[in-house]
Amino acid sequence: MPNQPDPDLNRRESERQEWWRPRAEGVAEYIAEKFASSDVILLQEWWFDESFTRIFDEAIGDKFERVAERRPGSVVGQDRDDGMCCLVRKQGLLELVKSDKVLTGPQRIAQIIQCRERLPNNGAGGRNVFIANSHLSFPGDKDPTINNERQKKEAGIILDALTNARNEWDKTSSSTASCLEIVCGDFNSNSCSSAAALVEDNNFVNCVSATANQLLTSVGGAVNIGTTHCDHLGNRVSVDHIFLRVAKRKDNKDVQRTVKKPERCSALALGYLDTQGTRILAVQRDKILISGSAVLSDHRPVTAKIEWPRLKKTDEKLSDMYVNVTMPLDPLEPAWGIVQDDDRL
């Protein structure tokens, strides 16, 4: 009959297998090919449907351990079928300890993951890594101030949850080693936003900024990671970030969120996180193509490579001139080299 509405127009992607299955298979194959040597992979969108998870288990289940957290539903006590996911390489430099979730807003969460350094011969004393897998709310209000404040509040909740996880570990641990802390994910805002600024105010270093500063001091010229996402409004945006900091043992007993903040010297700006040689080596993005073309809502993956050496304890002050490149340990090693391309998705 003429002028009858098409019932398929109102169906969600999850209700159309011909839409979601090729996309899921493409993402799983991409991870298996590109990220096979990465130690940690964080996904801000995950579906708990059995057919969906089976695709990933078949493609990467032998290489990665998977832990995921569900988002809460609109009804108290009932979770949604989607959430966030963390993949940890089974033969990598880190082993998964636990995962929890924190509510950051109505039906919105962050995933707080604790990993531990894997030592040769299953030795004890591995250092800890605390990761906040983050997905801040979309800036949907007409007032940008409201959007900024909402995202800033969510970032604050995430920082508090990360600190609480570290403090909880501190109560039961006899280790004197520093730990590595990572805040990363889809911020739905750029690196100049209130949310990103709050993270940096808590002594985290933006991996992109550090890499840009490194290039400025070596080859000259500005560098920008560029577009990482094309949103549903058609805007090309750079919203996917990785922030790092090293928390020393003496900081772990602080009940406040902020680790003691030294002056932000040029060494820190260059990605040298401590005087032990922990530093940001590189950060880059890649193109992800599914069935030969980019998908509108798929973000370009952003990866960071980190050097985290095991050195003797020192009270040496972080210096502007400090440089140390020894004993590489890369818990987030990227699967490719520097990507030279434009901002096209």
Side-chain angles (χ1 to χ4, degrees):
M1 295 179 63
N3 301 323
Q4 290 296 315
D6 184 353
D8 283 345
L9 293 178
N10 293 323
R11 294 173 64 190
R12 299 173 62 87
E13 180 180 347
S14 61
E15 299 173 316
R16 303 189 64 160
Q17 186 170 166
E18 68 274 18
W19 284 4
W20 68 257
R21 179 172 285 278
R23 180 179 173 187
E25 291 173 344
V27 173
E29 291 169 4
Y30 180 89
I31 292 175
E33 176 184 353
K34 292 284 190 176
F35 288 157
S37 62
S38 296
D39 289 284
V40 177
I41 300 171
L42 299 162
L43 304 173
Q44 284 77 56
E45 295 182 358
W46 181 257
W47 193 24
F48 286 83
D49 179 84
E50 184 177 347
S51 298
F52 179 89
T53 58
R54 188 182 304 119
I55 290 172
F56 284 83
D57 288 342
E58 292 175 354
I60 60 175
D62 60 330
K63 297 181 178 66
F64 289 93
E65 186 174 0
R66 168 169 52 85
V67 60
E69 302 290 346
R70 292 177 182 263
R71 290 202 292 160
S74 56
V75 178
V76 176
Q78 294 185 7
D79 288 336
R80 294 169 56 111
D81 290 332
D82 67 319
M84 310 179 77
C85 179
C86 173
L87 304 173
V88 180
R89 185 158 61 99
K90 292 180 178 179
Q91 301 302 319
L93 300 174
L94 298 176
E95 57 182 342
L96 177 66
V97 177
K98 66 176 182 178
S99 169
D100 291 307
K101 65 182 176 184
V102 57
L103 186 67
T104 59
Q107 301 184 56
R108 186 166 293 279
I109 64 169
Q111 184 180 16
I112 308 299
I113 307 119
Q114 179 182 357
C115 294
R116 185 175 296 119
E117 178 185 17
R118 182 179 281 115
L119 298 180
N121 302 318
N122 296 320
R127 297 168 296 175
N128 282 268
V129 179
F130 293 89
I131 306 170
N133 188 10
S134 311
H135 194 173
L136 305 188
S137 59
F138 184 81
D141 198 278
K142 294 181 180 180
D143 186 346
T145 301
I146 294 177
N147 295 326
N148 287 333
E149 289 303 312
R150 180 186 298 119
Q151 291 180 341
K152 181 178 180 181
K153 180 179 179 181
E154 292 169 358
I157 293 172
I158 292 169
L159 290 170
D160 286 336
L162 193 66
T163 298
N164 289 338
R166 175 168 49 83
N167 287 341
E168 192 64 30
W169 158 75
D170 177 59
K171 293 176 183 178
T172 59
S173 173
S174 58
S175 172
T176 59
S178 300
C179 64
L180 187 65
E181 296 185 342
I182 305 170
V183 177
C184 57
D186 178 5
F187 272 49
N188 269 309
S189 54
N190 63 32
S191 59
C192 297
S193 67
S194 298
L198 177 64
V199 176
E200 290 193 281
D201 284 345
N202 282 270
N203 214 34
F204 282 86
V205 178
N206 187 321
C207 286
V208 173
S209 299
T211 302
N213 282 318
Q214 291 171 19
L215 292 180
L216 284 169
T217 60
S218 59
V219 300
V223 63
N224 190 331
I225 200 169
T227 300
T228 66
H229 179 47
C230 182
D231 67 22
H232 64 283
L233 299 178
N235 300 314
R236 293 176 179 271
V237 292
S238 182
V239 298
D240 301 279
H241 309 295
I242 303 174
F243 298 89
L244 296 173
R245 78 176 179 186
V246 170
K248 296 181 179 179
R249 178 67 175 180
K250 64 182 180 181
D251 299 318
N252 289 352
K253 295 181 180 179
D254 293 346
V255 295
Q256 299 297 322
R257 174 200 307 153
T258 306
V259 172
K260 282 188 177 180
K261 185 176 180 181
E263 292 185 11
R264 213 169 174 84
C265 62
S266 59
L268 195 61
L270 287 167
Y272 293 91
L273 304 179
D274 61 14
T275 58
Q276 300 290 312
T278 306
R279 65 184 186 123
I280 299 162
L281 294 177
V283 61
Q284 56 261 323
R285 60 176 181 166
D286 193 31
K287 292 181 178 179
I288 179 168
L289 300 178
I290 298 175
S291 299
S293 61
V295 179
L296 177 66
S297 61
D298 284 319
H299 291 236
R300 302 181 72 166
V302 178
T303 65
K305 184 175 182 178
I306 306 157
E307 187 170 46
W308 194 28
R310 296 184 64 87
L311 298 175
K312 294 181 179 179
K313 184 177 179 181
T314 175
D315 293 325
E316 178 186 358
K317 182 180 179 181
L318 184 60
S319 166
D320 288 353
M321 299 299 295
Y322 181 81
V323 177
N324 186 1
V325 186
T326 57
M327 301 170 59
L329 178 61
D330 307 319
L332 295 179
E333 183 179 1
W336 56 83
I338 296 294
V339 177
Q340 302 291 344
D341 62 359
D342 56 22
D343 283 346
R344 291 175 296 175
L345 291 174

